[in-house]
Amino acid sequence: MEKIKKAVLETIRICKDKDLLKEYLESKEKEVVDIMMALFDQEEVFDTYVKSERKEAAREATKKMAIELLKTGKCSINDIRGIAPQLYEEDIIEIEQEFMQQV
């Protein structure tokens, strides 16, 4: 976070040096820094959310693939543990239960 604040302050300094919004930045520098920091915080939260959603989508796709492999007899539930280490034990149990319902 300190690096981001440093970058924000440097950006403000450059703008003032180039006479871009100089008067405004001189009178409202603290507010501008606070707003910019809040925006970076929001971006970080959003990035974390997107990564989490992608990971969840990948897990769901892997679970569907595992069920298809079980249906075709290409592997066993124990094989799934080995070929899909990103799945949690709860996922394996869910896959097994769903597969057993379809049999």
Side-chain angles (χ1 to χ4, degrees), residues 75-87:
C75 67
S76 70
I77 198 68
N78 286 329
D79 294 332
I80 299 296
R81 285 183 174 89
I83 61 175
Q86 70 273 32
L87 294 177

Side-chain angles (χ1 to χ4, degrees), residues 28-43:
K28 306 279 187 183
E29 185 169 335
K30 183 185 179 334
E31 291 89 340
V32 171
V33 170
D34 290 345
I35 289 168
M36 293 299 291
M37 295 302 291
L39 290 173
F40 280 111
D41 284 346
Q42 287 176 352
E43 186 176 331

Side-chain angles (χ1 to χ4, degrees), residues 53-71:
E53 288 297 305
R54 285 181 181 157
K55 185 177 179 182
E56 181 62 26
R59 271 184 52 237
E60 289 301 318
T62 302
K63 285 164 56 177
K64 287 180 182 178
M65 177 204 62
I67 291 168
E68 289 302 313
L69 289 171
L70 290 169
K71 277 193 222 178

Side-chain angles (χ1 to χ4, degrees), residues 3-23:
K3 287 182 181 183
I4 293 171
K5 187 170 184 175
K6 211 173 181 180
V8 168
L9 291 171
E10 181 62 14
T11 302
I12 290 171
R13 186 196 62 76
I14 291 168
C15 289
K16 288 193 288 188
D17 288 351
K18 293 187 177 197
D19 206 21
L20 299 170
L21 300 170
K22 184 176 184 174
E23 289 177 27

